[in-house]
């Protein structure tokens, strides 16, 4: 799964003239230091075999980056995040502006294969499909560590062991590579802010299971509203997701596993344990044991890294369990004052009235003050 960007595998294709859905692509961005990665993302979108109707780049409270995008990529719609700082607000901003039949979301540090949009869009020929999530392969910035278990690639937002290898239904969409019918997003109110405990949030989102917890909650919410429709996993709609050296470390894996556990506890509270932990139970009972045994098998075949992989799988599961218990027993799930943000437009600023500044003497009557609305 460490395929290089220069060596894409053969993919099924469709005639671009048969496309029946217009596509709006939404790319959130916030980090000036990652502007060149954002540029590579947008250049890859320009090379798509199926051209989108529009590309909306939502800049999260960074005027310098907004100006840079507008100057270098005048063909895209560069806009400011109109909601609370964070990726949830940015995605909701882009979705609210989208005009296409389908909203396709990705991150600013991805590079898509040329047939990415084509293979996502083709799935919607089935009217029973409400959304599609695609394959995310790691683009290693440094050397790929042999000890890092494929079962835990979700910690840096990539496809992991246990996902389908052919087109198949799936519960969890991943917003770094996701397409959804725009009317469905609008009707459910978009992504929700504040799904998980404050203790594990990162810039407005909580990463859990290879994607923001908000992605999973959105998929479940849409599935409940339209149970006759389904999400699909399309492994032939591929983007490469950058993995920085600091992400390919034991400490990062353990921290993100802890956050995974805490986030899943919050999700189970929000949507119920049956749906909230359905995929996790299957992953824990089938994929994880295979991974541990596979690592030990590699050790017996003379590859010492197999033992390290097995050990990290066990350590990661332990960290996730600790996170779950911390959220349940530590009172993290009482979200009381947390607010839920949807795509509803922000209320218009209330008008203001200028005031008089006067001096008064204690003990004397106050002078008469007159309200003068609308005066400057």
């Amino acid at each position: 799964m460490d395929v290089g960007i220069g060596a894409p595998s053969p993919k099924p294709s469709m005639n671009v003239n048969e496309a029946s859905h217009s596509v709006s692509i939404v790319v959130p961005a916030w980090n000036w230091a990652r502007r060149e990665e954002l540029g590579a993302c947008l250049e890859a979108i320009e090379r798509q075999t199926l051209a989108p109707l529009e590309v909306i780049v939502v800049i999260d409270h960074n005027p310098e980056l907004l100006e840079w995008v507008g100057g270098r990529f005048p063909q895209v719609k560069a806009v400011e995040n109109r909601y609370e700082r964070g990726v949830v607000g940015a995605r909701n901003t882009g979705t609210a502006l989208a005009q296409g039949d389908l909203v396709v979301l990705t991150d600013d540090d991805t590079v898509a294969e040329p047939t990415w949009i084509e293979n996502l869009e083709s799935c919607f020929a089935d009217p029973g499909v409400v959304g599609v999530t695609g394959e995310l392969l790691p683009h290693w910035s440094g050397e790929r560590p042999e000890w890092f278990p494929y079962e835990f690639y979700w910690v840096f937002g990539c496809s992991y062991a246990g996902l389908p290898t052919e087109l198949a239904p799936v519960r969890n969409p991943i917003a770094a590579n996701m397409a959804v019918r725009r009317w469905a997003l609008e009707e459910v109110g978009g992504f929700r802010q504040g799904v998980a405990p404050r203790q594990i949030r990162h810039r407005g989102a909580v990463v859990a299971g290879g994607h923001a917890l908000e992605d999973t909650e959105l998929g479940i919410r849409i599935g409940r509203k339209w149970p006759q429709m389904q999400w699909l996993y399309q492994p032939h709609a591929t983007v490469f997701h950058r993995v920085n050296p600091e992400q390919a470390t034991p400490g990062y894996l353990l921290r993100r596993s802890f956050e995974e556990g805490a986030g899943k506890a919050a999700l189970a509270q929000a949507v119920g344990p049956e749906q909230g932990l359905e995929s996790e139970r299957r992953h824990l009972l089938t994929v994880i044991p295979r991974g541990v045994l596979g690592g030990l098998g590699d050790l017996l075949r003379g590859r010492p890294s197999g033992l390290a992989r097995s050990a990290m799988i066990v350590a990661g599961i332990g960290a996730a369990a600790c996170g779950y218990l911390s959220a349940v027993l530590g009172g993290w799930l009482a979200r009381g004052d947390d607010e839920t943000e949807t795509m509803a437009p922000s209320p218009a600023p209330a008008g203001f009235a200028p005031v008089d500044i006067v001096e008064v003497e204690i003990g004397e009557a106050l002078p008469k003050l007159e309200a003068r609305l609308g005066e400057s």
Side-chain angles (χ1 to χ4, degrees), residues 160-322:
Y160 49 92
L163 289 177
T165 56
E166 297 295 336
L167 185 68
V170 70
R171 184 200 71 174
N172 295 345
I174 304 176
N177 185 358
M178 183 179 89
V180 62
R181 297 185 189 270
R182 179 166 59 90
W183 60 259
L185 266 180
E186 290 176 343
E187 190 158 340
V188 300
F191 293 86
R192 281 184 176 169
Q193 189 75 274
V195 174
R198 296 180 186 276
Q199 288 87 341
I200 58 171
R201 294 185 190 169
H202 300 281
R203 291 192 56 80
V206 180
V207 176
H211 41 82
L213 197 65
E214 288 82 359
D215 304 359
T216 301
E217 191 276 337
L218 174 72
I220 292 173
R221 187 157 30 102
I222 288 178
R224 283 180 169 179
K225 190 169 184 64
W226 297 284
Q228 75 281 11
M229 303 186 77
Q230 62 182 351
W231 287 89
L232 295 179
Y233 179 73
Q234 170 56 287
H236 300 305
T238 302
V239 300
F240 294 87
H241 205 174
R242 181 173 293 276
V243 180
N244 297 317
E246 61 269 19
Q247 293 176 296
T249 63
Y252 189 84
L253 185 151
L254 294 177
R255 176 172 67 81
R256 294 294 287 272
S257 296
F258 181 91
E259 294 170 352
E260 158 84 348
K264 291 306 182 183
L267 183 66
Q269 182 192 53
V271 304
E274 184 63 30
Q275 285 188 298
L277 300 176
E278 177 185 7
S279 295
E280 289 68 27
R281 282 191 293 266
R282 184 168 58 250
H283 192 78
L284 183 61
L285 294 175
T286 60
V287 177
I288 293 300
R290 283 202 305 265
V292 173
L293 293 176
L296 295 177
D298 283 349
L299 176 64
L300 294 177
R301 287 187 286 272
R303 292 193 287 270
S305 61
L307 178 60
R309 285 202 311 277
S310 294
M312 288 309 304
I313 292 174
V314 174
I317 292 299
C322 289

Side-chain angles (χ1 to χ4, degrees), residues 23-335:
V23 173
S24 297
I25 301 179
V26 176
V27 184
W30 62 276
N31 192 343
W32 172 256
R34 282 182 14 188
R35 62 190 181 281
E36 294 303 329
E37 294 176 23
L38 172 60
C41 172
L42 298 178
E43 289 167 357
I45 291 173
E46 291 177 350
R47 296 191 294 268
Q48 292 297 302
T49 56
L50 179 60
L53 173 67
E54 59 187 353
V55 179
I56 303 170
V57 180
V58 185
I59 304 301
D60 189 12
H61 300 84
N62 190 328
E64 187 178 16
L65 184 59
L66 180 65
E67 182 179 0
W68 181 86
V69 172
R72 180 163 171 180
F73 296 94
Q75 71 278 20
V76 310
K77 296 181 181 178
V79 300
E80 292 181 333
N81 177 9
R82 67 172 65 171
Y83 298 115
E84 179 182 346
R85 181 184 298 274
V87 69
V88 172
R91 286 174 178 153
N92 283 343
T93 295
T95 300
L97 296 173
Q99 299 297 311
D101 302 320
L102 308 177
V103 175
V104 173
L105 297 124
T106 191
D107 285 348
D108 62 347
D109 58 350
T110 63
V111 174
E113 285 194 342
T115 56
W116 172 52
I117 297 299
E118 191 176 322
N119 288 321
L120 287 175
E121 191 275 342
S122 66
C123 297
F124 292 91
D126 181 351
V129 172
V130 70
V132 182
T133 191
E135 182 181 47
L136 288 142
L137 297 180
H139 174 207
W140 303 94
S141 299
E143 184 177 352
R144 180 182 69 87
E146 293 185 0
W147 58 264
F148 207 107
Y150 177 31
E151 292 76 12
F152 278 71
Y153 272 21
W154 50 260
V155 303
F156 35 69
C158 289
S159 299
Y160 49 92
L163 289 177
T165 56
E166 297 295 336
L167 185 68
V170 70
R171 184 200 71 174
N172 295 345
I174 304 176
N177 185 358
M178 183 179 89
V180 62
R181 297 185 189 270
R182 179 166 59 90
W183 60 259
L185 266 180
E186 290 176 343
E187 190 158 340
V188 300
F191 293 86
R192 281 184 176 169
Q193 189 75 274
V195 174
R198 296 180 186 276
Q199 288 87 341
I200 58 171
R201 294 185 190 169
H202 300 281
R203 291 192 56 80
V206 180
V207 176
H211 41 82
L213 197 65
E214 288 82 359
D215 304 359
T216 301
E217 191 276 337
L218 174 72
I220 292 173
R221 187 157 30 102
I222 288 178
R224 283 180 169 179
K225 190 169 184 64
W226 297 284
Q228 75 281 11
M229 303 186 77
Q230 62 182 351
W231 287 89
L232 295 179
Y233 179 73
Q234 170 56 287
H236 300 305
T238 302
V239 300
F240 294 87
H241 205 174
R242 181 173 293 276
V243 180
N244 297 317
E246 61 269 19
Q247 293 176 296
T249 63
Y252 189 84
L253 185 151
L254 294 177
R255 176 172 67 81
R256 294 294 287 272
S257 296
F258 181 91
E259 294 170 352
E260 158 84 348
K264 291 306 182 183
L267 183 66
Q269 182 192 53
V271 304
E274 184 63 30
Q275 285 188 298
L277 300 176
E278 177 185 7
S279 295
E280 289 68 27
R281 282 191 293 266
R282 184 168 58 250
H283 192 78
L284 183 61
L285 294 175
T286 60
V287 177
I288 293 300
R290 283 202 305 265
V292 173
L293 293 176
L296 295 177
D298 283 349
L299 176 64
L300 294 177
R301 287 187 286 272
R303 292 193 287 270
S305 61
L307 178 60
R309 285 202 311 277
S310 294
M312 288 309 304
I313 292 174
V314 174
I317 292 299
C322 289
Y324 189 95
L325 291 174
S326 295
V328 172
L329 303 178
W332 293 6
L333 303 184
R335 302 199 323 269

